[in-house]
Amino acid sequence: MNFSFNPQSNYSEITSNYPESSQSININKPQFISSIKASDITKRDNIQVSSHDARKVVLSSQYGPGQMEGLGTHLIEKSLSKPKQKLEFIRTLLIDNYDSYTYNIYQELSVVNGLPPVVVRNDEWTWEEACYYIYEERAFDNIVISPGPGSPACPADIGICFKLLLECGDIPILGVCLGHQALGYVHGANVVHAFEPVHGRLSEIQHNGCKLFHDIPSGKNSGFKVVRYHSLVIDPKSLPKELIPLAWTCSTDTISSLVDQKFDQSNYVETTPDNKVLMGIMHSTRPHYGLQFHPESIATCHGSRIFKNFREITEDFWGWKDSCSINDRKLKYNACMQVGNGSWEFKDNPRRNYLSFLDTNPFDIYERANSSNLRNDVKFLKLEWRKIENLCSQIGGAKNIFLELFGDENAENTFWLDSSSTEKRRARFSFMGGKGGSLWKQITFRLSDTSGGHVTIENAQGLSTTTFLEEGCFHFMNKELQSIHYDEKDLQGLPFEFYGGYVGYLGYGLKVECGAPYNQHKAKTPDACFFFVDNLIAIDHSNDDIYILNLHDQTTKTKTKTKTKTWVDDVYQKLITLKPSSTTLPKVQYRNNNKKTESTFLSDKNEEQYIKDVEKCQEFIKDGESYELCLTTQMRKKLGDLNRLGIYLHLREKNPAPYAAWLNFSKEDLTICCSSPERFLRLDRDGVLEAKPIKGTIARGSTPHEDHMLKSQLQHSEKDQAENLMIVDLLRNDLGRVCDPGSVHVPRLMDVESYATVHTMVSTVQGKKRSNLTAIDCVRAAFPGGSMTGAPKLRSMELLDSLESCSRGIYSGCIGFFSYNQTFDLNIVIRTVVIHQGEASVGAGGAIVSLSSPQEEYKEMVLKSRAPVNSVLKYEQNSLEQ
């Protein structure tokens, strides 16, 4: 690209020739929105004027008459370059366009600004409310507009952002992706389809050296690589004179997310202007900036520097001659936030606008566990435990222990969180148990057709009660965990994180309690089911140790002391006398009783239908509705009276996994046989949250050489890297809602792990939980797992509901434990057989991106279903042959 830039010249003199590199779509020019009422005012240096003219007042206070006309941005930057007082913090209003990367921006701004931003959804505030806080209260120093799905031409997609960009010329604004497009659209530029959608892929960037890119290298081989998530672009030919191009791609080629590539100059073809894509703009007379790429992505270089530069632009713009003291600024900011119930209260407005869990600033996230609300039936639990060293392998391992202690009577009401794949330290501990002591209970929750749902609680004596929960499952679970008191000393010496508490699953349908507007399909299985476990066995696979644990209510300690010792001692005696070969697979007793059974699994959608759905997903992506859609389907088969535990044991033998699980809820006629390799979310005793999303899967090879080649193919696949990066950024966002600012990080990005039937690409995301949040807050902030939805999560779930023909049920949810001390570990329900009322179902799918091949996506879906489907078919075949 040929351009000229003289630091002393007017920015309007910067010229750039952009080609016809876009496909035009019909987007109407913006209609001018009438100015706000005269009563909407702004205050700057005790000047009171209408906010429509506010930018003129502020600019005219800095420039003399006549300088406003055609004012160049270089003059603004030059005049604002004088040393100013640096403040302790910057107050940012962060507008969330229902995106799944907004809280990555939140984390960045919290660190750079010295103060967390206030997050408001684009339809949360009326224009009058926004003006009140921006102008009357002067609560904010700048505004950042987040990315999001859709188009700036759709009012529902950008909400209040349109008027902010049009009317608020006197406050610095930075728009990212959709916010960038909105800045162009508001001032008359055309937003068109990009030559190709680019999501989760990197490009090198060159820029003009303006202050937003201060101290950032430019051009090819410079190391300035950025992540792009967009299907639409601003047509540079349509830029009005008010908007100035700042940055563009070095070429249309994208580069690896993993490798810090050094380009060979001799092989690098000099690109023409035809290859450039506009990546940044600014307004010539307003402090408004737009970036098409995502500076907050984990793979973008110099992203933090950009946010620091925006802070400096903000400081320079105001000059800090405002009469507000620092303490006064804090007071105004805190008054705006109204920390408490997650509510916002507006001046002269008697109503309280209660923000939903997903809408509010993380300070107010969810309903806090306060003593008046949640702790009704307080329990004081006492933990007693006994350790047997170096015994597990001597008595036949975890399988033998489970069969001996819990395998009788078809293993009714039992659980086994089974780290059946322990190689490479992927998992260390297994937990197992059955119907226990006096504290044992089963909790079964079903969503209602409107809101809330019904919970049925069965106690240890078999008595059941059903109650309607208006506030839903997560609120109930939060209340249950908050009602438990315990002594931390009881946990000393135990190397694991589960000491008793809740074991079970959360179904995918609970997404409606996490921001999704509805469930298109109703699940046949309960939406959540848990045992409260007071007796359990823990196995340390690394040290070969066994732990026997018992929980009891301390208030009834004297009554239960004898019984507790009896159970612990009884289990101890059974274990030390157990023979390695004393217990084998359950005896198979297969009877079909003339019931009709299929010879194989039948898919809800055939190959042609699935491929059409993939193509529909790609149309949504092309139109900017989503970056990535995790499309799924279900396969089903009627079963005879197969031994369900036998099915699980066959599955764990053929497809061992670190987050495998057996759950048998006998009263519901529901059994779950899971061989998941994926962790959804874990919280340990130190308050560290961890997610391990999987995206990118390929079959194992038939020979070592072929296997190595396939593994390498996956590692270097741009499509799979893009899939994984998008979900990593999504999980960073979800953890960013509930973690301390600056603590979210990615210790491992795109590692390839090998399992019995597949290689998978796995990343690790960690963060430090904020001390004022609960375990349930953390799960609800991230549920459902982003690897099963796509991004942006909320819009993607809506689109997927419109495509998929049935409820996902338990599939795509999570299985694991909530310990009574609020540690937890949950998997993603994949590679799983769900057996309910005589029918086995297996869910499978994959992430659809713009680079997807519909035919290959179908093959990947079939590959992922192979292990659980074959476990049922082969076990059934073996049963018939006996």
Side-chain angles (χ1 to χ4, degrees), residues 89 279 506 584 641:
F89 58 88
M279 286 286 111
L506 299 168
T584 60
D641 294 332

Side-chain angles (χ1 to χ4, degrees), residues 168-187:
C168 298
D170 62 336
I171 186 168
I173 299 178
L174 174 64
V176 178
C177 200
L178 182 64
H180 157 87
Q181 295 166 10
L183 175 59
Y185 180 72
V186 161
H187 293 288

Side-chain angles (χ1 to χ4, degrees), residues 540-607:
D540 182 346
H541 295 286
S542 293
N543 296 326
D544 211 30
D545 298 333
I546 303 173
Y547 295 80
I548 310 167
L549 295 90
N550 168 263
L551 269 179
H552 60 268
D553 192 335
Q554 197 169 11
T555 58
T556 59
K557 182 177 180 180
T558 55
K559 298 180 182 179
T560 61
K561 187 172 183 180
T562 302
K563 182 177 180 181
T564 299
K565 284 189 174 181
T566 299
W567 186 85
V568 172
D569 291 343
D570 180 55
V571 171
Y572 175 80
Q573 289 299 320
K574 286 182 179 179
L575 289 174
I576 63 175
T577 58
L578 183 62
K579 304 298 181 183
S581 58
S582 63
T583 309
T584 60
L585 281 169
K587 185 177 259 186
V588 176
Q589 295 179 341
Y590 178 70
R591 306 178 300 276
N592 64 18
N593 297 329
N594 296 320
K595 294 179 181 178
K596 181 179 179 181
T597 61
E598 296 90 4
S599 59
T600 188
F601 280 76
L602 301 178
S603 177
D604 284 354
K605 293 195 174 182
N606 60 30
E607 180 176 359

